[in-house]
Amino acid sequence: MEKWYLMTVVVLVGLTVRWTVSLNSYSGAGKPPMFGDYEAQRHWQEVTFNLPVTQWYFNTSNNNLQYWGLDYPPLTAYHSLLCAYVAKLINPDWIALHTSRGYESHTHKLFMRTTVFVADLLIYIPAVILYCCCLKETSTNGKIANALCILLYPGLILIDYGHFQYNSVSLGFALWGVLGVSHDWDLLGSLAFCLAINYKQMELYHSLPFFCFLLGKCFKKGLKGKGFVLLIKIVCTVVASFILCWLPFFAEREQILQVLRRLFPVDRGLFEDKVANIWCSFNVFLKIKDILPRHIQVIMSFCFTFLSLLPACIKLTFQPSPKAFKFTLVSCALSFFLFSFQVHEKSILLVSLPICLILNEIPFISTWFLLVSTFSMLPLLLKDGLLLPSVVTMMAFSIACATSFSIFEKISEEELQLKCFSTSVRKYLPHVTFLPRIIQHLFLFSVIVMVLLTLITVTLDPPQKLPDLFSVLICFISCLHFLFFLVYFNIIIMWDLRNGRNQKKIN
Amino acid sequence: MAAPGTGTDGGNWFSALALGVTFLKCLLIPTYHSTDFEVHRNWLAITHSLPVSQWYYEATSEWTLDYPPFFAWFEYILSHVAKYFDREMLNVHNLNYSSSRTLLFQRSSVILTDALFVYAVHECCKWIDGKKASKELTEKPKFILSVLLLWNFGLLIVDHIHFQYNGFLFGLMLLSIARLFQKRHLEGAFLFAVLLHFKHIYLYVAPAYGIYLLRSYCFTANKPDGSIRWNSFSFIRVISLGLIVFLVSALSLGPFLALNQLPQVFSRLFPFKRGLCHAYWAPNFWALYNALDKVLSVIGLQLKLLDPNKIPKSSMTSGLVQQFQHTVLPSVTPLATLICTLIAILPSVFCLWFKPQGPRGFLRCLILCALSSFMFGWHVHEKAILLAILPMSLLSVGKAGDASIFLILTTTGHYSLFPLLFTAPELPIKILLMLLFTIYSISSLKTLFRKEKPLFNWMENFYLLGLGPLEVCCEFIFPFTSWKLKYPFMPLLLTSVYCAVGITYAWFKLYVSVLTDLPVLKTKKQ
């Protein structure tokens, strides 16, 4: 690439922003007895380092599962172990069994932040760069601008470097998976995606599109010939990578069952805290969480999720293409987020990742979505004391997107990829020509609402009777947005991806 | 702040660049800040709670007011906004007070006053004509210049991490330069006079202004050979210039003259009690001189030419103290530095007088003045290098030769600012920002001048690449060696001497280019 230096500069900007955000507070800073996700990650280092593998997921006298017990798949545990070895070199107090509980210091914060930074630098960022470099029909400047916008996406930065998590690892592996699968390195792609699932079980949100896309590819090649061979190869890769990841737990059957129980805690309820999904929003009107029995809730959420992602998945299986794959990733992840059981507010990042990938195709809607997704996590971010970095990174991100893609000029039917849909609508209702204008007005309205709600939340105290009023409002409004986006993306998948000639040029 | 962008053709990118760096500055709010933060808080308190007559006498805090009156008034105005944030910071006795609201206020005051800098950069970019304008936006001189100025590494870390108000002051300077380029001489002179009464360090470049205005503004015509035509002297112009300078000075110093406090004000502004070099040697000629003295004394001891008992205690082990005592070479007095500085400035000033080159010649002279003062001045701060780097950015996009000098000067100058930030959380920031700026400046200028000869020869390449290992040694290896206790100041000394070599080289090269390139440049111009 002739402009490697601009790409380097863009990456450095992304890294600088990441590190400056990391200077801020983290979740549960100075809040005993439970602290927050930061302490959870530190605690996992302590547990994995001091206890034998067989005890990691079990409640023992040395491992109180009520206190941030390990509830992520084995790869996370291995990562914690690796970090713990480094921590041991620097200061053994950080991971001393029992006594290190709730350990906080400036040096330790620096260490923890560095682990996130290193993981991000090794896994997520190279994937983003490679993805942008491989974009087709895009000028060099377009690729660089695209990389800038993806790297500046505030949601991921704020959660990883502010709140404290390692989402960049799982999302990075998923992105490697997307890269591999869309460029016909199917085995590498499936391997990367298996690693992603084994790092964080939430990656299952992305698993159906991967499955359907790969299956579709096999169908396309003919199930009786090459397709079958490919299928076998993929199955072997997946099984082998899973076995590798779970090797230490194969000693006993009880081990595997316990890990699975930890990974899918059905008894934790339909949703937690305030999530911008259907169930939480619906809960405002009707307390379904308390009225319905647990197993009905599970079945209900399963049915809704399944129904909402079915059309896109079927379509992808029969017409597999990298573009359709990306859109299906979006719609499936969004369906899971909106309807599935036990969703966290941070899970919206799983939807944001595929949205980042279509940033250059539908810049207007993608930017809008990415802003809303960050906004939906505002209650969490405010709780962590991240108001300033949130506001600043969101504004910086909007400026970056607005300048790179001139989003406000890309709102014609063609550019919103609604051409086919509106043509078919016009067959019945010839006067429907105002879709883009409506979307534009909706955008303005939504931005105003988001800004106002942010201002109100920050400045006003909620009424005493309704202490959660503002956070519920934020979730409710974000949920409405997400429903709209779900409909929109399903329309695109059903109508516009019918044929490949709608590929439009960027810049 | 979006306003400046709308003026230029497709000026979206300018506002994006300006806003982008503004957001970065906002993200830097929680970073480490130096004692300068307390200095400015104290000044806010002094100007807010005391009458004007006591401003330059107040000494509760060790950080007394030592900037000219305009800056004091600036703090006075700020303090009236500050009271809405946190009244406690305006108490003179509230030493080292830094509540989160105080921090927010002070940091945002720097960020907001930088608007003037942004505007000045916008004005400067106007006269960078697009002769070489390529179709690519990222290869236009205007674009490159805006990035070099707006995203300047030194300004970012000195103002927004270390904490100072250089942004709007450099804004004033760049604006006055831009006005001179636009032939609005009186406005330029006015802005510079105002600037001098904000911060007197800009006296370093005053000779360039004085000579240029006298030569190219007060004399309205030249003889055909370019020499001066004495009868073209315009009295009206001189008087209007003088009047402007006089009025500005009267406004600034008048009240203190009336109070009969001028000697006190000046004693605060020019404290000659400090040592030749700052605690950390600024990378200038004296750093080399001190280092040479060290080397000679060590050699002398080895060869038994010196008596160990006669050597003052401040040898390598006790490190760099304020009052550095030379063992072999003669000690340096303030007067000696003044003479050296004047001698160093003279040729460039002569050049400006006898062979005026228009605004570009003025700019060169200004940079040489700034650099020469930096090289030979008394008690120079490493931050003063910005005084040369920022104007040099304007030259760098014009000619390949200037670009190469600029890159050496900027890279070494910026690296020499590293010791300002010594805390661990800021280490990645300074390295990332430095890489960001250095990679961008070198690559973009190389792209701009790709058709001409390479910007660096092998020696310069080698020197610049050496900065990497130097950083690794100083901040990653040295702290883990046993030398850390024995020679704690070793990294500072190495950094200072290494950078001094580069800056001296750049200064020398710029001087040579100014003194030799003249005729060539002249024929080009005509």
Side-chain angles (χ1 to χ4, degrees):
Chain A
M1 200 158 85
E2 73 266 40
K3 285 193 182 154
W4 62 269
Y5 75 93
L6 282 179
M7 191 56 114
T8 321
V9 163
V10 159
V11 172
L12 285 169
V13 169
L15 290 176
T16 313
V17 170
R18 280 164 165 69
W19 191 262
T20 49
V21 169
S22 83
L23 297 175
N24 289 281
S25 176
Y26 48 84
S27 74
K31 285 180 195 154
M34 279 309 272
F35 302 96
D37 274 348
Y38 175 88
E39 167 65 7
Q41 299 287 350
R42 194 211 53 75
H43 180 65
W44 293 351
Q45 293 178 9
E46 171 195 335
V47 168
T48 49
F49 186 78
N50 292 298
L51 303 180
V53 182
T54 45
Q55 288 184 33
W56 285 359
Y57 289 89
F58 280 91
N59 205 12
T60 65
S61 57
N62 284 330
N63 188 14
N64 176 10
L65 289 184
Q66 293 301 311
Y67 184 80
W68 301 116
L70 197 51
D71 55 2
Y72 277 3
L75 264 191
T76 297
Y78 305 147
H79 182 207
S80 293
L81 184 62
L82 186 70
C83 294
Y85 274 109
V86 181
K88 178 87 194 310
L89 282 181
I90 304 172
N91 186 349
D93 289 350
W94 292 346
I95 48 158
L97 193 59
H98 301 310
T99 54
S100 68
R101 185 172 284 198
Y103 191 99
E104 285 178 298
S105 77
H106 287 296
T107 339
H108 186 246
K109 179 182 167 192
L110 204 60
F111 164 71
M112 294 294 272
R113 297 294 200 199
T114 314
T115 58
V116 179
F117 192 73
V118 169
D120 200 0
L121 197 60
L122 290 181
I123 298 171
Y124 182 70
I125 291 176
V128 171
I129 298 170
L130 195 62
Y131 174 79
C132 291
C133 290
C134 292
L135 279 177
K136 286 171 197 136
E137 301 179 37
T138 311
S139 69
T140 316
N141 281 355
K143 288 173 184 171
I144 291 163
N146 204 17
L148 178 71
C149 294
I150 298 182
L151 288 178
L152 282 186
Y153 169 57
L156 183 61
I157 299 180
L158 290 168
I159 294 299
D160 273 16
Y161 291 85
H163 178 83
F164 201 88
Q165 278 196 342
Y166 294 95
N167 289 298
S168 50
V169 178
S170 55
L171 294 180
F173 278 133
L175 185 51
W176 279 109
V178 174
L179 257 173
V181 172
S182 3
H183 290 91
D184 285 335
W185 310 317
D186 294 326
L187 298 186
L188 280 178
S190 352
L191 173 70
F193 186 65
C194 288
L195 292 179
I197 293 185
N198 280 314
Y199 194 86
K200 214 169 177 179
Q201 68 271 33
M202 261 74 98
E203 278 299 330
L204 284 172
Y205 288 13
H206 291 149
S207 58
L208 268 178
F210 268 93
F211 175 74
C212 295
F213 185 46
L214 289 172
L215 193 66
K217 273 188 173 181
C218 296
F219 279 147
K220 219 173 167 184
K221 288 187 177 171
L223 257 192
K224 284 182 183 160
K226 279 184 181 171
F228 187 70
V229 179
L230 181 63
L231 190 65
I232 296 293
K233 274 186 188 168
I234 293 172
V235 170
C236 290
T237 316
V238 171
V239 171
S241 47
F242 264 87
I243 289 178
L244 266 182
C245 290
W246 289 66
L247 208 52
F249 302 94
F250 279 121
E252 293 168 57
R253 195 161 147 264
E254 184 52 27
Q255 282 280 339
I256 297 185
L257 287 180
Q258 172 67 11
V259 177
L260 287 177
R261 243 174 273 140
R262 293 292 304 161
L263 295 191
F264 303 103
V266 180
D267 47 339
R268 274 166 76 175
L270 189 53
F271 57 89
E272 250 179 56
D273 294 339
K274 300 282 173 289
V275 188
N277 75 353
I278 289 290
W279 308 124
C280 184
S281 306
F282 201 64
N283 208 42
V284 177
F285 309 107
L286 186 68
K287 304 275 175 237
I288 34 174
K289 203 176 174 183
D290 307 326
I291 295 173
L292 293 176
R294 183 66 37 90
H295 66 277
I296 302 273
Q297 289 178 17
V298 177
I299 294 172
M300 182 181 65
S301 62
F302 175 78
C303 290
F304 269 92
T305 318
F306 188 70
L307 284 179
S308 70
L309 53 76
L310 198 58
C313 284
I314 291 179
K315 184 148 169 135
L316 180 66
T317 317
F318 292 105
Q319 294 171 355
S321 78
K323 190 179 172 188
F325 172 54
K326 283 189 271 179
F327 279 88
T328 312
L329 274 176
V330 173
S331 115
C332 278
L334 199 49
S335 305
F336 267 107
F337 179 79
L338 281 173
F339 300 110
S340 75
F341 194 80
Q342 244 283 313
V343 175
H344 288 260
E345 63 273 62
K346 285 158 269 177
S347 305
I348 195 63
L349 294 180
L350 290 156
V351 194
S352 303
L353 177 77
I355 296 264
C356 284
L357 305 185
I358 55 169
L359 201 52
N360 68 329
E361 298 186 36
I362 320 178
F364 181 76
I365 298 285
S366 310
T367 310
W368 187 8
F369 179 93
L370 292 173
L371 286 175
V372 175
S373 70
T374 314
F375 171 76
S376 77
M377 293 186 288
L378 192 68
L380 177 80
L381 297 171
L382 285 181
K383 206 165 74 188
D384 297 339
L386 296 170
L387 173 68
L388 180 81
S390 313
V391 173
V392 172
T393 47
M394 274 174 88
M395 290 202 288
F397 175 72
S398 349
I399 294 287
C401 285
T403 319
S404 319
F405 299 112
S406 32
I407 51 171
F408 300 112
E409 292 152 26
K410 294 197 176 160
I411 34 178
S412 66
E413 276 181 4
E414 192 109 3
E415 274 149 341
L416 292 175
Q417 314 226 346
L418 286 171
K419 194 86 189 160
C420 293
F421 174 66
S422 35
T423 333
S424 10
V425 171
R426 262 181 238 130
K427 275 182 201 157
Y428 307 101
L429 300 164
H431 298 293
V432 184
T433 52
F434 44 75
L435 265 179
R437 214 155 10 117
I438 289 188
I439 290 186
Q440 204 183 344
H441 287 305
L442 276 178
F443 173 74
L444 279 182
F445 182 67
S446 124
V447 167
I448 293 171
V449 168
M450 287 197 286
V451 170
L452 280 182
L453 250 181
T454 311
L455 282 179
I456 290 176
T457 316
V458 172
T459 51
L460 295 184
D461 286 324
Q464 280 195 335
K465 278 184 192 167
L466 305 164
D468 288 336
L469 178 68
F470 296 142
S471 41
V472 170
L473 261 181
I474 289 177
C475 289
F476 188 72
I477 287 181
S478 315
C479 178
L480 287 182
H481 278 96
F482 294 146
L483 272 177
F484 163 76
F485 287 122
L486 183 67
V487 173
Y488 173 83
F489 282 112
N490 273 303
I491 288 177
I492 291 191
I493 292 171
M494 292 336 253
W495 267 274
D496 213 64
L497 297 174
R498 191 172 296 163
N499 37 37
R501 69 182 167 78
N502 280 309
Q503 297 272 329
K504 63 185 183 56
K505 50 200 176 301
I506 310 295
N507 293 329
Chain B
M1 209 171 292
T6 50
T8 48
D9 45 319
N12 245 338
W13 57 267
F14 187 86
S15 14
L17 280 180
L19 281 174
V21 79
T22 309
F23 291 136
L24 181 63
K25 291 167 186 171
C26 293
L27 285 176
L28 292 176
I29 286 178
T31 50
Y32 147 89
H33 52 82
S34 72
T35 47
D36 275 340
F37 181 82
E38 166 64 8
V39 171
H40 287 93
R41 190 216 50 82
N42 185 42
W43 293 356
L44 277 178
I46 290 177
T47 51
H48 188 81
S49 54
L50 298 176
V52 181
S53 56
Q54 286 177 41
W55 284 2
Y56 284 93
Y57 281 95
E58 162 61 39
T60 309
S61 160
E62 61 179 310
W63 312 114
T64 53
L65 183 55
D66 56 8
Y67 275 19
F70 276 177
F71 201 87
W73 288 110
F74 168 72
E75 293 278 6
Y76 176 78
I77 295 169
L78 278 186
S79 72
H80 282 276
V81 186
K83 66 185 175 194
Y84 296 108
F85 280 75
D86 186 354
R87 269 194 167 276
E88 282 305 297
M89 77 170 109
L90 299 174
N91 183 348
V92 176
H93 302 285
N94 222 344
L95 296 184
N96 291 319
Y97 183 75
S98 63
S99 66
S100 58
R101 279 167 163 260
T102 310
L103 182 76
L104 185 68
F105 169 74
Q106 295 233 69
R107 288 282 199 206
S108 44
S109 68
V110 183
I111 296 172
L112 286 179
T113 48
D114 268 3
L116 184 64
F117 181 71
V118 174
Y119 174 69
V121 172
H122 182 250
E123 288 297 298
C124 285
C125 287
K126 265 189 189 163
W127 58 260
I128 292 291
D129 46 347
K131 255 186 234 160
K132 295 193 206 173
S134 119
K135 275 179 193 161
E136 278 292 359
L137 170 67
T138 49
E139 287 173 19
K140 281 186 179 163
K142 262 184 196 174
F143 182 86
I144 295 175
L145 179 63
S146 329
V147 179
L148 291 184
L149 287 172
L150 289 175
W151 286 73
N152 183 281
F153 166 81
L155 214 48
L156 272 179
I157 70 160
V158 171
D159 272 18
H160 300 276
I161 301 181
H162 178 83
F163 197 84
Q164 274 192 352
Y165 286 94
N166 293 301
F168 85 96
L169 297 172
F170 276 112
L172 274 177
M173 179 162 112
L174 289 182
L175 197 57
S176 95
I177 294 175
R179 292 296 179 244
L180 292 188
F181 269 83
Q182 293 162 354
K183 305 270 183 252
R184 291 151 74 172
H185 294 92
L186 288 180
E187 223 175 308
F190 169 75
L191 287 170
F192 184 70
V194 171
L195 177 63
L196 270 186
H197 288 280
F198 265 109
K199 193 171 177 179
H200 49 302
I201 195 176
Y202 294 93
L203 272 175
Y204 283 165
V205 295
Y209 270 92
I211 299 296
Y212 176 70
L213 286 172
L214 194 64
R215 175 69 180 82
S216 299
Y217 178 66
C218 296
F219 289 96
T220 49
N222 284 338
K223 284 182 191 162
D225 63 339
S227 63
I228 194 161
R229 189 194 288 267
W230 291 97
N231 58 5
S232 69
F233 189 70
S234 155
F235 274 103
I236 301 178
R237 291 189 166 189
V238 171
I239 290 171
S240 46
L241 267 183
L243 205 62
I244 284 178
V245 175
F246 174 76
L247 283 180
V248 171
S249 308
L251 195 64
S252 158
L253 299 173
F256 298 95
L257 187 67
L259 290 164
N260 210 6
Q261 291 183 350
L262 267 194
Q264 169 68 13
V265 173
F266 279 105
S267 75
R268 282 281 174 86
L269 295 190
F270 301 100
F272 271 102
K273 284 169 208 135
R274 300 182 190 174
L276 169 66
C277 288
H278 201 51
Y280 155 63
W281 300 348
N284 60 8
F285 177 77
W286 303 121
L288 292 177
Y289 186 82
N290 289 352
L292 182 67
D293 183 70
K294 281 267 182 245
V295 173
L296 287 181
S297 70
V298 170
I299 294 174
L301 282 176
Q302 291 288 322
L303 300 177
K304 303 260 168 21
L305 293 175
L306 288 171
D307 181 7
N309 299 325
K310 280 186 190 166
I311 288 183
K313 277 287 167 198
S314 72
S315 59
M316 207 69 108
T317 41
S318 61
L320 313 171
V321 281
Q322 289 267 348
Q323 296 287 347
F324 183 86
Q325 285 176 311
H326 296 91
T327 40
V328 184
L329 299 173
S331 279
V332 183
T333 61
L335 187 67
T337 63
L338 187 68
I339 293 170
C340 286
T341 314
L342 285 181
I343 292 176
I345 285 178
L346 269 183
S348 67
V349 174
F350 272 121
C351 207
L352 186 63
W353 179 267
F354 289 109
K355 292 184 176 165
Q357 303 267 318
R360 265 183 193 280
F362 155 70
L363 196 52
R364 287 160 173 280
C365 177
L366 184 146
I367 296 162
L368 279 176
C369 283
L371 256 185
S372 309
S373 320
F374 180 85
M375 290 300 299
F376 299 103
W378 179 260
H379 196 81
V380 175
H381 279 252
E382 63 276 23
K383 288 164 257 175
I385 193 67
L386 288 179
L387 202 57
I389 288 179
L390 287 169
M392 189 77 198
S393 317
L394 297 175
L395 280 186
S396 70
V397 289
K399 250 177 65 186
D402 289 335
S404 127
I405 299 171
F406 166 77
L407 289 174
I408 297 168
L409 177 71
T410 308
T411 311
T412 27
H414 282 165
Y415 181 78
S416 74
L417 296 175
F418 265 31
L420 276 182
L421 307 180
F422 47 83
T423 44
E426 279 70 27
L427 180 69
I429 296 187
K430 72 177 177 186
I431 293 179
L432 286 171
L433 281 177
M434 174 80 184
L435 279 177
L436 181 72
F437 187 82
T438 310
I439 291 179
Y440 180 80
S441 55
I442 293 183
S443 315
S444 62
L445 288 175
K446 271 190 177 166
T447 320
L448 189 63
F449 298 110
R450 65 185 153 225
K451 283 174 193 147
E452 300 173 40
K453 67 175 171 43
L455 290 184
F456 301 127
N457 58 31
W458 66 271
M459 204 173 62
E460 294 160 347
N461 263 328
F462 182 77
Y463 174 80
L464 289 181
L465 287 175
L467 288 171
L470 182 66
E471 165 67 9
V472 173
C473 286
C474 288
E475 300 209 49
F476 294 92
I477 298 176
F478 186 82
F480 301 103
T481 59
S482 57
W483 287 357
K484 187 179 189 307
L485 296 174
K486 229 170 144 192
Y487 308 111
F489 291 96
M490 195 67 163
L492 287 185
L493 190 134
L494 272 181
T495 309
S496 168
V497 172
Y498 194 89
C499 292
V501 172
I503 289 179
T504 315
Y505 175 78
W507 172 72
F508 192 70
K509 206 173 162 189
L510 183 65
Y511 236 124
V512 169
S513 90
V514 166
L515 295 178
T516 56
D517 280 7
L518 281 176
V520 186
L521 216 151
K522 192 151 197 155
T523 46
K524 256 188 201 169
K525 279 230 153 186
Q526 283 166 349

